Amino acid sequence: TKSSVMNAWKDLIRDINSQYDTYRNPSAMRDIAKVIPDGATEIETLRNIVEYVNNNVKWNNIYSISPKKTNKSVLKDKVGMSSDLNLFLQEILTAKGFNSYLIIGSTRNHGQVLLSYPLINQFSSVITAVHLKSGQVILLDGAQLNKDQVEFAPLEIFNYYGVVLQKGEPSFVKLTQKLSEYEAIISYQFLKDKVILNRQDRFNGYFYDQEADEENVLKRYVTESMDQRFDIENSDDLEYRDNKYKKSYKAVSKQVG
């Protein structure tokens, strides 16, 4: 029955919570929180926390919903599984005054969580939720943090539903990624012996790719627009400003067909 299923979820969440509680070190995390500066806004403070975690601990590339290290051990060893690092992050957030809690879920490779089956083997990962005073909820993965784009957690963690690790009645949340934005501003100058292209890309979220070959991306885009070969004359460094990455190029085609 529905009642028995919910009771089973309640028992499962209680057991997982009890396990997590044995690895928490609230007093040590309060000491760390004092070292992390407050920002002018909640987002700035959140970025400072993310920067601290990134600078002091690393992920060992293992997903897990069961921590194996206390907060103190994580800081001492400077490495941990995803469950260790998310618990570490969540404890710091709590110590800094944020309304924060953990959510267990399943990565996309592991499969979706079925709410009618309260079985622990459905889960493969844990993430951290932060409620801001504005009402915004930000999901973070303590194993893979981005200081600039704190609102864009790895896509792998967004997979159907997650289960909140809080006391009381079971709570299920839909894990949905924030939409990314991309804008390209392109202008052409048609001169006697050449065409000059100026382009600026503005983007955020999942359009950002550190491994992207920017020169080839530019040439492919332009070739599809005009039957011309453009050679990059100069390009500005990638910068992050006003919550977006920005990149500008100038390219020239020596022959006009």
Side-chain angles (χ1 to χ4, degrees):
T1 66
K2 183 177 180 180
S3 177
S4 61
V5 169
M6 293 305 288
N7 285 333
W9 274 119
K10 191 172 183 178
D11 291 341
L12 178 62
I13 294 169
R14 184 186 62 242
D15 291 344
I16 297 174
N17 260 326
S18 296
Q19 183 182 15
Y20 271 81
D21 286 343
T22 63
Y23 292 95
R24 299 180 189 273
N25 300 123
S27 60
M29 296 300 99
R30 284 193 290 270
D31 291 338
I32 290 175
K34 294 176 183 177
V35 176
I36 301 172
D38 293 328
T41 65
E42 282 189 298
I43 288 290
E44 285 186 17
T45 302
L46 185 58
R47 287 196 177 111
N48 292 341
I49 294 170
V50 166
E51 183 176 28
Y52 177 88
V53 174
N54 269 343
N55 290 342
N56 287 277
V57 297
K58 301 298 178 185
W59 183 36
N60 62 7
N61 293 315
I62 298 175
Y63 283 109
S64 172
I65 64 166
S66 301
K68 299 299 182 185
K69 294 182 178 182
T70 64
N71 299 146
K72 285 183 177 180
S73 296
V74 170
L75 190 59
K76 178 182 177 182
D77 299 340
K78 298 188 179 302
V79 66
M81 299 185 299
S82 62
S83 51
D84 300 317
L85 300 188
N86 276 283
L87 179 61
F88 182 79
L89 171 64
Q90 193 258 333
E91 283 292 291
I92 294 177
L93 287 164
T94 300
K96 288 294 287 184
F98 283 95
N99 176 11
S100 176
Y101 51 84
L102 298 173
I103 299 172
I104 55 171
S106 175
T107 58
R108 295 183 175 185
N109 289 333
H110 189 73
Q112 292 183 346
V113 173
L114 301 178
L115 303 184
S116 54
Y117 296 95
L119 302 174
I120 196 168
N121 61 5
Q122 294 193 88
F123 303 97
S124 64
S125 64
V126 58
I127 58 176
T128 306
V130 186
H131 275 258
L132 302 184
K133 293 176 181 176
S134 64
Q136 182 182 6
V137 179
I138 295 178
L139 299 179
L140 303 167
D141 181 358
Q144 304 176 79
L145 294 167
N146 183 327
K147 178 190 173 185
D148 289 334
Q149 299 198 101
V150 292
E151 299 169 89
F152 293 94
L155 281 173
E156 178 68 11
I157 71 170
F158 295 101
N159 184 28
Y160 200 46
Y161 280 97
V163 180
V164 179
L165 292 183
Q166 286 184 323
K167 295 179 181 179
E169 294 301 313
S171 177
F172 308 100
V173 292
K174 187 73 176 291
L175 301 176
T176 305
Q177 68 269 24
K178 181 177 179 179
L179 291 179
S180 306
E181 297 176 348
Y182 190 99
E183 176 186 10
I185 302 173
I186 303 172
S187 65
Y188 296 96
Q189 289 179 272
F190 294 91
L191 305 179
K192 182 177 181 180
D193 58 344
K194 62 184 175 180
V195 178
I196 299 175
L197 162 72
N198 289 287
R199 172 176 175 174
Q200 182 181 81
D201 294 290
R202 302 175 184 174
F203 52 93
N204 63 14
Y206 306 107
F207 286 113
Y208 175 64
D209 182 3
Q210 286 182 307
E211 307 302 322
D213 186 334
E214 293 161 348
E215 181 174 348
N216 287 336
V217 169
L218 175 67
K219 287 181 179 178
R220 183 178 71 246
Y221 187 97
V222 173
T223 301
E224 292 173 354
S225 303
M226 299 177 60
D227 189 19
Q228 300 289 331
R229 175 186 172 85
F230 286 82
D231 296 312
I232 295 178
E233 195 169 84
N234 59 58
S235 96
D236 296 340
D237 293 334
L238 184 71
E239 63 172 334
Y240 187 78
R241 183 159 46 91
D242 300 328
N243 297 319
K244 285 187 180 180
Y245 289 99
K246 295 184 181 181
K247 179 78 175 179
S248 298
Y249 311 85
K250 180 180 180 181
V252 176
S253 173
K254 297 297 184 182
Q255 298 179 350
V256 181

